[in-house]
DNA sequence: CTCCGACATATTATATGATTATTATTCTCA
DNA sequence: TGAGAATAATAATCATATAATATGTCGGAG
């Protein structure tokens, strides 16, 4: 039961990437120009090496671009790599908007039913067992044994993995962060959004190899979530909006 | 009609990122350990600064991880950010496999019909015009006025943009590179894969606001592509496999 | 023999100064 | 007015030094 050794990610460079990433997505530099290399170093008390490496990482994620004499600048939002887990996390956590959450859910509505169909066609007994285990944990979480979000995530992750398609599996970290936000939100609005029953239907269909039913069941699940989000967007103020906390 | 000023991307750092990215995805370091910072500098004739910055960019894309004393290492393939345009491009161009192309097409088969449905529900006249223009260019390309791939890409891009959903729009560069490879391949196997007629059906449905029909038409289009790829995978050698060229 | 801590060591992480390349802006001159 | 030259600002690159951090090694206590 060894803890999987998580890389520390605890150095100046990664810290600066986090800070700058959050500042960028929250629009801190929409008005004023992005600081120059030297300014960044001074402002954050880091060496130029660290600064440059952080800027390069953000460039790799599409948030920044740099040219001599012109300086470093924030790229137009359309070029941001929303499918990068970090970028999506910064957006959802630091610049939460129902609009963005709705758009992401709209994409899940395309991906996950297809994933369920593939899983129904391909899942081997082990994969099905992992999905079933996710569901079991969701039920257990209802009894307080575990955080419900974690179990729900495990369920969806297991289905993505069961597709045997690397691109679906790749969406796992994205869906995880979004789900964490999404659940936190849908719970506040209406108790538990999608009941255990809906998840059971998905699992049954996959286990039975019924691709069509699995897809439809997953679609129903996510449609409900999307409707909740869109309803809330139409009636602002119904659920208290969580204020955007800024890094101290 | 000014050319959009494309950033030059013509410096040592980006060059090294390209080289290393290609080497990594082609499995160059599966056997031997990834070189140390100093070794990389010597091997590529770059200073430690550019070496480190290149490594950091690849780290941001999930290909590398570095820890003191342990050295830098290639991450397990499951952690690579396949949804990063660079990573996908390296894989498709330098380590082409029908398997990967099939998996990607499988994802397009989830995304693009959904995009077509959304486009049918939301597309304003301008957006429809842009889709129509893509189709017009495809027809013109048949007459030799333009490269067919470019026109086809414009068609798909316009639909993704018409969804008004940033995540769908984000898939544009990914689908572009893949489409470029995909078309090159499907053409070799069987002349033009999906005829103009299929594309016209998609456009008509979107213009008519018929979401269901648009989705089905797009689904049909991509199913045909996927079938071609899977058939070729089952009969290796039917179409001459393009050899993987290595950077000189 | 096993476990634990001190120490050595390799490697990345950080810091800093200097130099070069690139390019937007300004100036000069025809 | 316009073209070309000079200027200057900025990132890009290089070089070098020091710090931090894992990892292995070895000796000794139990």
């Amino acid at each position: 039961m060894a803890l999987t050794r998580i890389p520390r990610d605890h150095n100046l460079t990664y810290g600066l990437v986090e800070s700058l990433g959050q500042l960028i997505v929250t629009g801190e530099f929409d008005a004023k120009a992005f600081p120059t290399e030297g300014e960044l170093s001074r402002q954050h008390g880091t060496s130029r090496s660290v600064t440059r490496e952080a800027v390069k990482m953000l460039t790799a994620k599409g948030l920044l671009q740099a040219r001599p004499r012109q300086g470093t600048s924030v790229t137009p939002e359309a070029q941001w790599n929303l499918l990068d887990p970090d970028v999506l996390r910064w957006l959802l956590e630091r610049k939460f908007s129902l609009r963005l959450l709705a758009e992401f859910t709209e994409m899940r509505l395309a991906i996950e039913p297809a994933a369920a169909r593939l899983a129904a066609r391909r899942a081997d007994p082990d994969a099905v067992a992992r999905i079933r285990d996710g569901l079991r944990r969701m039920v257990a979480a209802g009894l307080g044994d575990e955080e419900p979000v974690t179990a729900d995530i495990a369920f969806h992750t297991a289905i993505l993995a069961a597709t045997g398609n690397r691109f679906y599996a790749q969406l796992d970290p994205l869906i995880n962060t979004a789900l964490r936000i999404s659940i936190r939100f849908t719970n506040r609005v209406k108790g538990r959004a999608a009941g255990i029953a809906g998840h059971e239907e998905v699992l049954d269909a996959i286990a039975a190899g019924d691709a069509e039913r699995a897809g439809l069941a997953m679609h129903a699940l996510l449609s409900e979530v999307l409707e909740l989000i869109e309803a809330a967007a139409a009636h602002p103020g119904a659920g208290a909006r969580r204020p955007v906390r800024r890094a101290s």
Side-chain angles (χ1 to χ4, degrees), chain A:
Chain A
M1 194 57 113
L3 303 178
T4 52
R5 190 95 181 100
I6 290 181
R8 292 276 307 282
D9 282 12
H10 230 355
N11 55 34
L12 290 182
T13 304
Y14 290 136
L16 186 54
V17 168
E18 281 290 318
S19 306
L20 289 179
Q22 292 173 11
L23 289 175
I24 291 169
V25 302
T26 52
E28 197 71 16
F29 307 108
D30 287 357
K32 59 172 173 288
F34 193 81
T36 187
E37 183 179 305
E39 290 170 347
L40 275 181
S41 298
R42 253 175 288 116
Q43 290 169 11
H44 294 84
T46 52
S47 76
R48 281 174 35 227
S49 316
V50 170
T51 305
R52 285 187 58 78
E53 283 160 25
V55 166
K56 278 281 154 59
M57 293 186 77
L58 292 167
T59 302
K61 293 176 185 300
L63 297 190
L64 293 176
Q65 58 191 146
R67 307 184 63 169
R69 164 75 204 195
Q70 183 178 294
T72 303
S73 58
V74 176
T75 59
E77 191 167 333
Q79 288 178 43
W80 296 357
N81 192 352
L82 296 186
L83 299 167
D84 181 287
D86 288 327
V87 176
L88 184 63
R89 177 168 53 80
W90 292 327
L91 278 171
L92 286 178
E93 290 183 352
R94 294 300 172 191
K95 203 193 182 180
F96 177 77
S97 81
L98 285 170
R99 174 76 196 284
L100 186 73
L101 187 56
E103 287 180 34
F104 185 76
T105 308
E106 217 164 56
M107 194 186 65
R108 289 182 63 194
L109 202 47
I111 294 285
E112 296 204 57
R117 280 193 292 272
L118 286 176
R121 294 220 309 266
R122 296 181 187 158
D124 55 293
D126 280 359
V128 173
R130 276 188 288 274
I131 300 172
R132 175 167 286 120
D133 189 59
L135 183 58
R136 184 189 57 69
R137 286 168 56 189
M138 286 182 67
V139 176
L143 307 171
D145 289 358
E146 182 184 13
E147 210 193 351
V149 190
T150 312
D152 200 338
I153 287 173
F155 180 81
H156 288 268
T157 293
I159 291 176
L160 290 172
T163 61
N165 182 313
R166 280 168 275 181
F167 292 93
Y168 286 89
Q170 193 79 55
L171 291 166
D172 171 33
L174 293 180
I175 289 183
N176 279 7
T177 47
L179 201 56
R180 219 170 274 280
I181 307 278
S182 181
I183 285 183
R184 201 188 302 169
F185 171 76
T186 50
N187 278 356
R188 191 181 313 115
V189 171
K190 183 197 155 177
R192 284 208 54 66
I196 300 291
H199 289 74
E200 265 170 355
E201 167 75 2
V202 173
L203 169 61
D204 286 349
I206 291 175
D210 187 341
E212 222 28 63
R213 188 157 63 96
L216 288 175
M218 181 64 93
H219 193 277
L221 225 60
L222 287 171
S223 292
E224 193 183 348
V225 175
L226 183 57
E227 273 165 27
L228 278 178
I229 295 171
E230 284 178 341
H235 301 287
R241 195 76 55 78
R242 184 170 49 89
V244 173
R245 278 198 314 267
R246 293 281 296 288
S248 65

